[in-house]
Amino acid sequence: MGGAMLSLGFYVPSAGKEATIVKTTEAEGFGVELNAWIHIDTSGKVTIFSHRAEMGQGVYQAIPQIIAEELEVNLDEVNIVFAKGDNKKYGNQVTGGSSSVRTTYKNLLKLSATAREMLMEAAANRWKVSRAECYAESGHVFHKPSKRKYHYGELVLDASKLQAPEQVTLKKRSEYKLIGKPLRRQDTRMKTNGTAIFGLDKEIPGMLYAVVERNPRLRGVVKSVDDTDALKVPGVKRVVKVRMGVFSTYREGVAVVADSAWQAMQGRKALRVTWDDTGFEHQNTEQIFRRQADELKNNEGLSFKTQGDVNAILNGASDKIDVVYQTPYQQHACMEPLNCVAHWQGDKVEIWGPIQAPDWVQDYISKEMNLPRENVIVNMTFLGGGFGRKAFMDYPHEAVVISKVIGAPVQVVWTREDDMTQGPYRPGISYRCEGVVTNGEISAFKVKMAGQNNDHWRGGPKDKPNRSTSEGLLKPYFDSIKNLSIQDIPFETPIPTMWWRSVYASTNGFAYESFLDELAVAAGKDPLEFRRSYLKDERAQKLIDRMQEVSGWKKRKKGDGFGVAITECFNSTVGQVVKVSKQPSGGVKIDRVWAVMDCGWYVNPDTIKAQVEGSIVMALGAATMHEIRFEDGLTVQKNFYAYPMPRIYDIPPIEVYIMENDADAGGVGEPGLPAFAPALTNAIFDLTGKRIRKLPFDLNTVSS
Amino acid sequence: MLMATVSCKINGKDQTLEVDPQMPLLWAIRDVARLKGTKYGCGVAQCGACVLHLNGEAVRSCVTRVTRAEGQKVVTIEGLSENNDHPLQVAWQEIDVPQCGYCHSGQIMSAAVLLRENPNPTDQDIDRAMGGNICRCGTYPRIRKAIHRAAEMLRSGGKRNGTDL
Ligand code: FES
Ligand code: FES
């Protein structure tokens, strides 16, 4: 990035405060948290650094689409570059919680408008005219009366010497030319001809390949290694013991390093490793869920939210509903298995990979390898899926360790089997739901959750309830249900768990929204109108109107096979209606899914539709096709034949609608997922009278 | 183990690969011929990420020995068209099919054989031809739409400059 240019970023003084826009030359003085750069060089080329990972959710499109709007440039003339990991410079880069747009868009709009204003001022100064006579469009500043113009490249040098204005006027939503439009994604063309570089495609000169035999029980250590035969395999260069972080503990493995990935895999087959698997429990899935059932029966757990006097009402009721819902462990199963390239260079290391949290990797490697932060350079490639799994440090860590030992750049390649058997997983969780309905109203509502807390690996407090105990449940319920109790029973296993697309909303949503359906049935009410009566909130009311309108809800008859669910996730609310019918063969078929998303202010409606479609497909798999199970501490499912994925012929028609309002932006990559499973099982109840309380279940046998 | 010499045409160019004869074509294409567009997803013929064309047929290169390519024609996603303008690629771009994009080399290569054999596929034909390709991001509704769109382009005399269409 040599030569004259205008470079802007923003500096966020502290959480909650408004950002200050600064030029790169001033940036040094700020030292910390300088975010998301725009560079314009003298040719007029605009480069935008995307500091977030692109894993399919469309941030590579969304961030430039926001910037181009206020900067007044054409989107296809913008050069998009992935920023390196550096949270001192870009702020939080962890691409999770559907946060990329909702937490940065206001600053990005301001940043872009600031750059535009400076370019306009530079032009006005040069023409010696009033700034008010000028306007910006398509990367140019125009002088209206004289029809003169400069392209941005001609102005950057002057602009870079100006003071950034303190105040800029942002466009109204009605004035947007790009934001809110279904513009095509900038990364699509690279993804139709094989030129997009994913982690696994990264090559650097002299790079070797490693595959690692890791402890199959996740927590064991290496007892002995016999590498005699492995080293005889052609292409195999070294066999190296590795130890990489798994949360607050470590995992051990033995790496086979070779000239090609496949040769390394052959070498691994010839390796003989024995493990010491003592000192931790070897889990069985049955036993995990039995323990959860016992906890739910015997334990109150920690209070997440308590209002009114739920227990007294429950104890005094003769006809309370008391049911348990169960959701399984799940694997992310990103289409691109984990992999990472590292090049250890003595006093520094450079890393390339499909990485969701480059700044975390930088911090972690710096600490583990005893290197100054700035000597850990983390580059993001495109990610072949992420879903939470690629926000974790283990696979970069092992690449760095191996590169250091062998003294050469190396790519660690995980096989599908490694990826599926090594976790971390979405935790399997059980919920006990107790409720009483009196005169058609909920008089007591109690949900207890027993399942692993993802925060515990980060050292989260164990005497506090899971902060996500009610994730998924819409907040207005807290105002309208007077007697309510939500409890978390701490539950541990040696199995590492991690965020999985939409996190706890993906499991909570099933329990809460199925339970609400049971309460509606007990109240003898239409399940959607029943929800409406508790959701005293304008946006929720409008969402319900829209759901009814698009799905023909009011025209349906009881028993037609319609089900509904509404969930909240990362500041967006999604309602889904599912319609099912009986198959002659005895199973149930999904005829159609209607999804309505309220995410407030949004960038690209087509990206949102794609994300909701994809979320529903992922939810379909998790609800009806696959789960991770453990036997004697070993993961049973090793590849797609045992963890079946939805296929093109499994997918029902999906209609997605987006609510229009001016509320603050919510997430879009994950919120489409949680409502699907309960809407589906509620529809099956409507059709068959059978209540499904345990996932996954088989659509082909459900009605028999 | 002896190394083998496999001579074949890859994307229209004659190539000689010095490889272990046991090596699957997938890894030979990726790591020896250094064409990274063909992807590894499962290694056991379950996901279709590795689909390429061997003499015009869609094969799962992860379970195809490299020696099967001897004297044959291999076409990968990089060679499907010269300018990223095979009707399927154009339809994929029009409809913005990919999300993460990792599965789409395989999806497009599978769809290309379907369209060559059946320029007017029904939904059922698409189900049958594309059932071997997993998309974890769930782009299936758009894949279906894009195949129909490409078929329409072909029928109305759209471009036919795919290497083996
Ligand atoms: S990698 Fe060949 S089918 Fe999955
Ligand atoms: S687009 Fe991500 S796997 Fe298909």
Side-chain angles (χ1 to χ4, degrees), chain A residues 574-600:
Chain A
V574 173
Q576 293 187 25
V577 174
V578 172
K579 160 83 175 75
V580 295
S581 59
K582 279 193 181 149
Q583 286 297 88
S585 56
V588 158
K589 172 170 168 279
I590 304 172
D591 298 321
R592 191 168 291 268
V593 183
W594 296 266
V596 184
M597 157 76 92
D598 182 353
C599 55

Side-chain angles (χ1 to χ4, degrees), chain A residues 199-200 202-212 214 235 237-240 242 255-261 264 339-345 349-354 395-414:
Chain A
L200 203 57
K202 184 69 198 172
E203 266 187 1
I204 58 170
M207 184 177 96
L208 296 171
Y209 296 80
V211 294
V212 183
R214 299 172 194 81
K237 293 247 153 53
R238 293 278 298 269
V239 173
V240 176
V242 277
V256 177
V257 182
D259 288 327
S260 76
N339 62 82
C340 192
V341 174
H343 188 193
W344 183 271
Q345 296 155 60
V349 65
E350 186 155 9
I351 296 165
W352 297 260
Y395 61 106
H397 189 194
E398 60 188 8
V400 169
V401 169
I402 297 166
S403 177
K404 183 179 179 186
V405 173
I406 67 174
V410 70
Q411 179 176 55
V412 173
V413 177
W414 290 48

Side-chain angles (χ1 to χ4, degrees), chain A residues 55-56 183-185 188-189 191-194 196 198 200-201 203 209 234 260-262 265 331-337 383-385 387 414-417 500 606 609-611 613-614 617-618 626 639-641 643 645-649 651 654, chain B residues 1 3 20 22-24 27 30-31 34 36-37 39-44 46-47 49 77-78 83-84 89 92-105 108 126-127 130-144:
Chain A
M55 46 191 170
L183 304 180
R184 306 258 172 78
R185 289 173 59 140
T188 297
R189 287 183 60 82
K191 292 175 175 180
T192 58
N193 68 354
F198 295 89
L200 203 57
D201 307 331
E203 266 187 1
Y209 296 80
S260 76
W262 186 78
M265 289 175 198
Q331 213 267 333
H332 306 78
C334 303
M335 210 64 231
E336 177 194 25
L383 281 69
F387 312 122
W414 290 48
T415 62
R416 173 59 59 194
E417 289 79 4
W500 185 94
D606 194 51
K609 286 182 180 164
Q611 285 305 298
E613 289 162 5
V617 173
M618 192 156 173
H626 50 71
N639 205 321
F640 293 123
Y641 45 75
Y643 195 78
M645 288 287 144
R647 305 271 174 172
I648 195 166
Y649 45 74
I651 311 305
I654 300 170
Chain B
M1 226 176 292
M3 292 296 262
D20 186 322
Q22 303 291 320
M23 188 184 268
W27 295 108
R30 285 184 56 85
D31 293 347
R34 316 256 311 270
K36 302 287 192 183
K39 303 302 184 197
Y40 164 69
C42 70
V44 291
Q46 290 281 309
C47 76
I77 187 73
E78 290 93 338
N83 301 308
N84 206 352
Q89 290 167 315
W92 246 245
Q93 291 152 16
E94 241 178 53
I95 294 168
D96 252 352
V97 178
Q99 289 184 27
C100 85
Y102 194 79
C103 71
H104 284 291
S105 302
I108 292 172
I126 293 175
D127 284 349
M130 302 302 293
N133 289 78
I134 293 173
C135 175
R136 181 56 160 162
C137 298
T139 62
Y140 299 119
R142 289 169 188 239
I143 291 174
R144 184 183 302 284

